[in-house]
Amino acid sequence: MTVLLWILAALATPFVLFVAWLAWVFLKEFFSAKAEYESAEESSGIAAEAAEAAAAAERLGLLPLERQNTELASPLPAEWAAALASVGRGEWQPAAEVMHGIGRDWERRSALTTLLGDKAAEADEWLLSWEDARPDDPDAAVVRASSTVTLAWKLRGAKRAQHTTHEQFEGFRRTLEGAAPEDVARAAALNPDDPTPYVKEIWIALGLGRPNAEMDTLWAKLTELAPHHYEAHFSALQYWCAKWRGSERLAMSFAERAAAGAPVGSLLTVLPLIAHLEHDESDDTAAENTPEMIARVNTVLADVAAADPSHPRLPEVRHLLAYFLRLQGRDKESLEQFRLVDGYVEALPWRYRVNPAAEYCAFRNATAKAAEEAGATV
């Protein structure tokens, strides 16, 4: 009898194993299908929510994704746009006239120099003609300095170090160590009162990893010329960030000192927000909703209200305000800022994203939907 039971058990074992395998396959397929269904349902819900947010933005008169300019933070003054269009055609004279007309307005001079330098880094025949026609023109010299520094960073590329090739690093370093310092020094010598060459030198110091003591010396020289220069402070803050030559502590300390000592309307009160943005790695909004951060945002709102409406960096600050106000649940205030910059997305925080226009629109649309639900009007 015992032998018979063993035989029956032996014969039944494959059948039992087969049934168990079928059950396992069934359960696996069941839970896989359930997960796919739930994922599809979730994706459908997210898509529907995004569509509702986009519709709210449209009702409030905001522009769709395809109408977002990814090269600028705001429209340019007409004469600047004309000058940039002219150099694109190889004509340098309009740019020279606009640069000369700016005079000692260092904020605007630095802003236009950067735009022209970017153009020259792509194709500089027009700048060569300008330099040939006016060999010692300080305006041409500062544009050349800007273009050389920009070219170095273009050679490096925008990716992190681990994704940058040896050849890219070599071209980057060779340009920053060779032509860039010479061009910056020449521009400074031709116009000793102009802080713009020293702003460009910050990016040389950052790229080459110059020690903090050298940066302190450069900063003292620069701020003697322009103590509350926005682009200078933004550039120096980048140097002091942990991702470059400083740390979160050094960056925030620099930002807070600059903000505390700045006159209202200088826009420098935004620096602590930028320092926070550069170092915050949290996945929630708790860090943006502390009493300290709310106070910082309120201070920037007052600074923006007092600023020259034509300040070349004002739109960039508005983008940051829109972002932080939304994170603080202040959707109506955020929407006010979005309305003033809509259509242009080359600003923080969007330019740090893979698809700036899409990120901007998603964030702005969510703000528009929340603001509309709260009773915002066009």
Side-chain angles (χ1 to χ4, degrees):
M1 185 66 178
T2 303
V3 173
L4 180 60
L5 290 173
W6 276 105
I7 291 172
L8 290 173
L11 292 173
T13 297
F15 176 76
V16 172
L17 291 173
F18 176 70
V19 171
W21 177 77
L22 281 178
W24 176 79
V25 169
F26 172 79
L27 289 172
K28 179 183 177 183
E29 291 299 320
F30 173 78
F31 285 112
S32 176
K34 184 173 182 290
E36 288 180 7
Y37 174 79
E38 290 175 348
S39 176
E41 194 175 47
E42 183 180 355
S43 297
S44 176
I46 292 172
E49 188 175 340
E52 290 177 10
E58 184 178 358
R59 286 192 294 273
L60 292 173
L62 301 172
L63 299 174
L65 173 65
E66 61 272 16
R67 293 184 60 187
Q68 301 299 324
N69 184 311
T70 58
E71 297 182 356
L72 298 169
S74 65
L76 294 175
E79 59 178 5
W80 289 27
L84 290 168
S86 294
V87 301
R89 298 190 299 267
E91 303 166 6
W92 58 269
Q93 292 88 345
E97 290 176 11
V98 177
M99 282 288 288
H100 180 73
I102 287 175
R104 296 173 63 86
D105 186 331
W106 304 130
E107 294 285 1
R108 287 175 174 76
R109 181 175 176 82
S110 291
L112 182 56
T113 294
T114 296
L115 293 170
L116 291 170
D118 289 349
K119 288 286 189 181
E122 296 171 0
D124 70 346
E125 291 81 4
W126 59 272
L127 182 54
L128 289 169
S129 297
W130 185 357
E131 292 168 326
D132 287 342
R134 302 176 182 176
D136 294 321
D137 187 340
D139 297 337
V142 77
V143 172
R144 172 61 68 189
S146 179
S147 79
T148 306
V149 173
T150 297
L151 177 60
W153 285 92
K154 283 181 177 290
L155 291 172
R156 183 196 182 280
K159 294 182 179 180
R160 293 182 179 272
Q162 62 266 35
H163 302 299
T164 303
T165 67
H166 174 72
E167 290 74 17
Q168 286 175 302
F169 271 124
E170 281 298 305
F172 173 64
R173 180 169 290 276
R174 186 167 55 250
T175 305
L176 285 188
E177 289 178 337
E182 295 175 6
D183 290 342
V184 165
R186 183 169 183 272
L190 288 172
N191 192 353
D193 293 337
D194 184 9
T196 309
Y198 301 113
V199 176
K200 303 307 172 183
E201 189 174 350
I202 291 173
W203 292 95
I204 299 175
L206 188 156
L208 294 179
R210 289 182 180 171
N212 294 172
E214 287 190 27
M215 179 61 187
D216 289 337
T217 300
L218 170 60
W219 189 243
K221 188 188 306 181
L222 199 164
T223 51
E224 184 177 352
L225 297 173
H228 307 297
H229 192 284
Y230 183 91
E231 187 179 350
H233 281 80
F234 174 84
S235 301
L237 177 56
Q238 292 299 308
Y239 174 94
W240 292 113
C241 282
K243 65 182 180 181
W244 291 114
R245 308 304 170 189
S247 66
E248 181 176 0
R249 180 185 62 81
L250 289 172
M252 187 57 76
S253 175
F254 172 83
E256 288 178 336
R257 286 197 310 273
V264 176
S266 66
L267 303 178
L268 295 187
T269 56
V270 79
L271 294 175
L273 297 187
I274 297 175
H276 173 86
L277 177 70
E278 293 285 359
H279 298 93
D280 179 42
E281 297 180 355
S282 61
D283 294 327
D284 56 38
T285 61
E288 285 77 32
N289 282 274
T290 63
E292 182 180 37
M293 285 298 290
I294 291 171
R296 284 172 175 166
V297 169
N298 289 339
T299 300
V300 179
L301 280 169
D303 207 4
V304 163
D308 177 354
S310 66
H311 192 299
R313 304 299 178 181
L314 179 57
E316 298 172 24
V317 178
R318 290 194 185 280
H319 275 279
L320 282 161
L321 266 180
Y323 175 75
F324 280 102
L325 285 165
R326 166 61 178 165
L327 294 182
Q328 292 179 352
R330 302 162 67 175
D331 296 301
K332 287 187 178 181
E333 292 174 277
S334 177
L335 181 60
E336 290 177 11
Q337 301 300 324
F338 273 123
R339 282 175 170 149
L340 293 167
V341 297
D342 196 42
Y344 297 83
V345 300
E346 173 48 28
L348 292 178
W350 326 116
R351 69 166 172 250
Y352 281 174
R353 311 299 170 84
V354 175
N355 189 332
E359 292 280 355
Y360 166 85
C361 284
F363 201 88
R364 179 210 62 188
N365 293 353
T367 306
K369 183 173 181 290
E372 185 182 58
E373 291 171 351
T377 58
V378 178

